[in-house]
Amino acid sequence: MKDILIIEDNQELGALIRDFLVRDGFTVEWKESAEEGLESIKETSFKVLLLDIMLPGMDGYEALQEIRKTKNMPVLMMSAKTDDQSKILGLDVGADDYIEKPFSFPVLSSKIKALIRRSYDMREEKDILVYKDISMNVQERTVIKNGESLHITGKEFDILEYFMKNPETVIRKEKLFDEIWGNDCFSEMNTLNVYIRWLREKLEEDPKNPQLIQTVWKVGYKFGGTKE
């Protein structure tokens, strides 16, 4: 993940912003059009988008509407337009903050750091779940155990996420099934047994003698802790 993507068509200003932010310790990528920026966002994750409004081709408002269909990243809009309507429109289409051109680079840096603090420092705890040697990134839907990436997707991921949010707690089988499949699901309760077996095969040292995902007789399951 890089820190900042700049989308700014003015070459002189774009280079100045990039160079200042790099000197300020950020990792930065700079694109001169919304179309190029959208391609970068598909390929790379960024903590913050610094987005100009007046761009060739697709403008900043249109680009932001497109980005918001799939991405939640904080967006700081830049514009020489100082009227309230332009600011309101930017915020309405999904911007998190707005800075008027010309701006001071220290003020720009402060706004970016504030966005990162608000959006990541407070969100990190719920986006990254950790239990012993297992780490789960909820947003990216990835799981790592002992430094090795595991292929855990779909309902397996959802079950493990629920376990990791409720570690060392006895969970009734019916409760777990309802949380993952929903009350109105037509799947059989035995489906849960199949997914638990698959998860054990991926997580346990000895799936036939599970230590991590424990069966609590006639009740349900417990993730972690001592055996019942």
Side-chain angles (χ1 to χ4, degrees):
M1 175 181 279
K2 292 185 178 179
D3 292 326
I4 301 167
L5 173 63
I6 303 166
I7 303 179
E8 167 60 64
D9 65 311
N10 183 301
Q11 291 187 351
E12 182 178 359
L13 180 58
L16 285 171
I17 295 172
R18 178 198 60 198
D19 293 347
F20 173 82
L21 292 175
V22 167
R23 286 197 301 271
D24 210 23
F26 294 106
T27 54
V28 181
E29 190 170 313
W30 166 38
K31 297 298 180 183
E32 296 182 27
S33 72
E35 291 79 4
E36 290 176 325
L38 290 174
E39 286 301 312
S40 290
I41 290 169
K42 289 178 183 177
E43 298 168 1
T44 307
S45 295
F46 298 92
K47 290 184 178 178
V48 175
L49 171 61
L50 193 54
L51 177 63
D52 187 29
I53 291 179
M54 303 301 292
L55 294 166
M58 182 184 290
D59 67 22
Y61 298 129
E62 294 169 318
L64 184 51
Q65 287 177 312
E66 191 66 27
I67 289 164
R68 283 293 181 247
K69 291 178 182 177
T70 57
K71 298 292 182 181
N72 234 1
M73 71 175 78
V75 176
L76 175 58
M77 296 201 87
M78 309 179 290
S79 180
K81 294 184 175 182
T82 59
D83 60 288
D84 288 343
Q85 191 57 42
S86 295
K87 297 176 186 177
I88 291 169
L89 180 57
L91 296 172
D92 283 347
V93 296
D96 296 274
D97 202 352
Y98 191 102
I99 189 168
E100 297 176 6
K101 297 178 180 178
F103 47 74
S104 107
F105 288 122
V107 169
L108 175 66
S109 181
S110 293
K111 280 181 172 285
I112 290 171
K113 289 172 182 174
L115 278 178
I116 290 175
R117 279 197 306 274
R118 289 202 304 268
S119 301
Y120 295 95
D121 290 353
M122 291 188 296
R123 201 168 69 191
E124 191 70 14
E125 289 183 9
K126 63 182 179 182
D127 278 354
I128 306 296
L129 303 176
V130 178
Y131 184 82
K132 295 186 177 177
D133 59 354
I134 300 172
S135 174
M136 167 182 280
N137 187 312
V138 176
Q139 187 175 13
E140 297 181 4
R141 292 182 72 83
T142 57
V143 179
I144 295 173
K145 185 175 191 287
N146 277 332
E148 180 182 348
S149 180
L150 302 181
H151 185 66
I152 296 177
T153 59
K155 295 298 185 192
E156 289 180 28
F157 187 95
D158 296 337
I159 293 168
L160 182 57
E161 179 184 351
Y162 190 82
F163 278 149
M164 292 190 65
K165 286 180 176 177
N166 300 275
E168 303 182 7
T169 302
V170 176
I171 301 167
R172 297 189 63 83
K173 191 173 182 179
E174 296 79 7
K175 169 69 173 174
L176 180 58
F177 184 83
D178 288 345
E179 288 288 339
I180 304 304
W181 276 272
N183 290 312
D184 299 326
C185 177
F186 295 105
S187 294
E188 297 291 334
M189 184 72 71
N190 287 339
T191 305
L192 177 59
N193 299 340
V194 176
Y195 279 92
I196 292 292
R197 186 178 76 245
W198 290 344
L199 267 178
R200 283 171 170 161
E201 289 172 357
K202 296 177 180 181
L203 293 171
E204 302 279 2
E205 297 296 326
D206 180 3
K208 293 182 180 178
N209 182 30
Q211 303 297 309
L212 187 64
I213 302 175
Q214 305 164 32
T215 297
V216 180
W217 182 246
K218 292 187 177 181
V219 179
Y221 301 100
K222 186 174 77 166
F223 182 75
T226 56
K227 297 202 79 168
E228 293 291 313

